[in-house]
Every structure is written in structure tokens, then in C-alpha cells.
Amino acid sequence: MEGIERLLPSLIIDSNYRIVAANQTAKNMFGEIIGKECYKVLYNLETPCYQRGIKCPVYGKESGFDIVDLEFESYLRGYGVIPWGGMFYESVVNITNINNIRSSFIDNLTQLYNRKFMLNFLEKTHNLWKRYKQPYTLLFIDLDNLKEINDNYGHTAGDEALIKVALCIRAHTRSSDTAARWGGDEFLMVLPNTSIEYGEKVALRIIKCVSGIQFFTKLSVSIGASQPSDNDKSYSEVLARADKALYQAKQSGKSKVAVLKADGLSYLIDIKEESA
């Protein structure tokens, strides 16, 4: 959590919008805030955020990361539901230069989140799994044959292929999901509160979307999927399984989904078989 946790004041809020707990960053920033309404402390508003069109975990039971613009100020925030009946969290920081802050967590080419942001998010997501058994599915996505595209059509074409794949990923990302460019030709998706079966369906939809892209050459992606288990000490073990599954998908002929479970069970799904 180094980075996000130290940067963002984080609060726990009850169903009446009152702050019931805060991390040390929040206490240092705001002083004595326990019992005060979150919208007054964080944004200096007189009414709850949803009345200003701002997504609110208390009101809408939503989770996510976004940027809030209020008059001459902008805020980067994370928010969501905690599985303790009627409890919610919100993390927020005032942004003075939105372009600079965006570059710290957004991939400039694809406009998805970047690897640094995803590492922080993965740790937060895995901690929710360890504490409250909130499941999540990881999808490791690789654009097949990017080197050949670069060699045959140039790096500009390779960049365009990555952008088009990112659009397919974004088109199949729910508001609660998070997608990032992991690096090079690889992408990573985190699907919270999701069964592996649903993750497989999302992966197949992405493969189908990419296969339909009009381009200089046929585009395809391979995808590896996995979920956490009680024996995983950190998200890195889940990530390693998804990475290994991705390798199996690519070795099997590409444009396929491979699933690797914690018990060692693995299987492949071919989009052609799925459509048959």
C-alpha cells in the first residue's frame, strides 16, 4: 500500500455520513473529525455528495476510483462498501495539478490505469479477500504477436493495436472492475466479487471483441485467469497463477482462455468451442 495509503487520508463512514474512524494521514490533515459528516470534512459541502452528482458509497452502494471536480479544486478519491453492516470507506486527496497527478496512475498510450496504480489496487483488493473473504478474479491479457506487428507495420501500428485492445477491455469492464496496462503487450484486470465462471465469460467477450477489430492484420489476445485461495499469502501468488495460465493459453494456440486454480486444476476454453 505504499504510495496510495500514505498519500490518501482514509475514512470509515456510517450510514448517516458520519466519520467513525480515520487513518493517521486523515487525522494529521483534518484534526478531530470523528463524528463529523464526511462531505463537510472532505469537500466543504453542506449537503451529501450525491446531491451534487458525485458518486457516493453511502447513498449508491458503489465502489471505484474517480476524480471529483468542485469549483476550482479537483480530488482523486477511492470509495466503496465495507462488509460490516452499513459501513463504508472513502480515501481522497486534493489535486492541484490534475495533469501531473493523472500521469502518476494512468498509462499515457491506452488511458487505462498503469502498473504502479494496479500494484496498489491489487494489494488493497487482496487485503479485502484476506479479512472479509470478498472474492476477486484476475485476468492476465496478452496481445498476441505484437513484435511481428511492430516489425511488419512499424511501432505506430503496434501502438494502435494496443489502443484498440484497450478499448475492448474497457468496453467489458464494469464500474466495479479495474483494468490496467501491465507493461508492453500485457494488460491486467481485477474483477471484484466475481466467480471464476463469470471471469471466464468476460475473458471470452474480450477475445471475441479483439478478433473483430479491423486492422492491418488479424489481432488476437490470450488470457490467463485465476482467483485467490486461503493459502495465498499475497496477491503475487494469485498473479503468478494467472501469468502461468496465460503462458498455457499462448502455448495452446492463442486466442484462448486458460484457468489455473490454487489446487493445481487447469483447463482451456476455446472461443470457437464456446460459440459452437
Side-chain angles (χ1 to χ4, degrees):
M1 293 296 291
E2 184 177 0
I4 287 235
E5 186 171 69
R6 295 203 299 184
L7 175 68
L8 301 183
S10 300
L11 314 174
I12 296 178
I13 305 157
D14 67 17
S15 57
N16 294 313
Y17 302 97
R18 292 191 180 92
I19 298 167
V20 297
N23 67 356
Q24 192 58 49
T25 304
K27 293 176 182 177
N28 292 342
M29 228 175 210
F30 301 118
E32 294 297 327
I33 55 175
I34 305 302
K36 295 182 179 179
E37 288 85 357
C38 56
Y39 51 86
K40 292 181 179 179
V41 170
L42 296 176
Y43 306 113
N44 197 31
L45 297 176
E46 291 302 318
T47 57
C49 293
Y50 76 90
Q51 296 184 18
R52 295 287 295 267
I54 301 169
K55 292 179 181 178
C56 171
V58 180
Y59 180 77
K61 308 297 188 290
E62 298 169 290
S63 298
F65 285 83
D66 58 28
I67 292 173
V68 176
D69 289 309
L70 289 172
E71 297 174 353
F72 301 108
E73 295 183 321
S74 296
Y75 301 82
L76 170 66
R77 68 196 290 252
Y79 53 93
V81 179
I82 296 176
W84 305 338
M87 303 295 281
F88 311 88
Y89 73 87
E90 182 155 6
S91 304
V92 62
V93 66
N94 191 289
I95 300 169
T96 55
N97 188 321
I98 196 168
N99 290 328
N100 287 345
I101 195 72
R102 283 190 87 255
S103 68
S104 71
F105 65 93
I106 296 293
D107 176 63
N108 185 56
L109 178 67
T110 64
Q111 297 303 299
L112 297 176
Y113 289 114
N114 61 22
R115 184 181 184 129
K116 180 180 179 182
F117 178 92
M118 181 57 89
L119 285 169
N120 286 319
F121 185 79
L122 269 174
E123 184 166 357
K124 185 174 184 178
T125 301
H126 194 77
N127 285 341
L128 287 173
W129 154 255
K130 287 195 298 184
R131 293 177 186 176
Y132 313 119
K133 288 299 178 280
Q134 287 190 10
Y136 65 93
T137 298
L138 280 189
L139 298 181
F140 219 148
I141 305 164
D142 183 271
L143 170 59
D144 298 322
N145 304 319
L146 178 61
K147 183 179 184 301
E148 287 81 354
I149 294 171
N150 287 332
D151 291 345
N152 294 329
Y153 302 100
H155 286 273
T156 300
D159 287 349
E160 185 64 26
L162 289 167
I163 291 169
K164 289 182 179 295
V165 169
L167 288 173
C168 278
I169 292 172
R170 187 178 289 110
H172 295 89
T173 301
R174 303 168 300 181
S175 60
S176 58
D177 301 334
T178 299
R181 184 183 180 195
W182 191 246
D185 55 3
E186 294 180 332
F187 302 84
L188 193 67
M189 286 184 71
V190 178
L191 288 67
N193 295 314
T194 299
S195 66
I196 194 69
E197 291 77 16
Y198 181 81
E200 293 166 8
K201 292 179 180 178
V202 173
L204 288 168
R205 290 171 193 154
I206 292 171
I207 287 177
K208 186 175 181 180
C209 178
V210 172
S211 68
I213 292 173
Q214 299 297 311
F215 201 63
F216 305 108
T217 185
K218 181 72 172 177
L219 295 181
S220 67
V221 292
S222 300
I223 301 178
S226 191
Q227 281 197 310
S229 76
D230 290 333
N231 295 324
D232 293 327
K233 296 180 181 178
S234 74
Y235 68 83
S236 61
E237 295 174 67
V238 192
L239 186 62
R241 284 197 298 275
D243 189 25
K244 188 174 180 180
L246 172 62
Y247 178 78
Q248 292 175 352
K250 293 184 77 68
Q251 290 295 107
S252 70
K254 305 174 183 177
S255 201
K256 294 181 182 178
V257 180
V259 179
L260 178 58
K261 296 188 175 181
D263 59 5
L265 175 65
S266 65
Y267 53 90
L268 286 165
I269 307 172
D270 192 320
I271 190 169
K272 295 177 184 177
E273 296 172 2
E274 186 72 12
S275 303

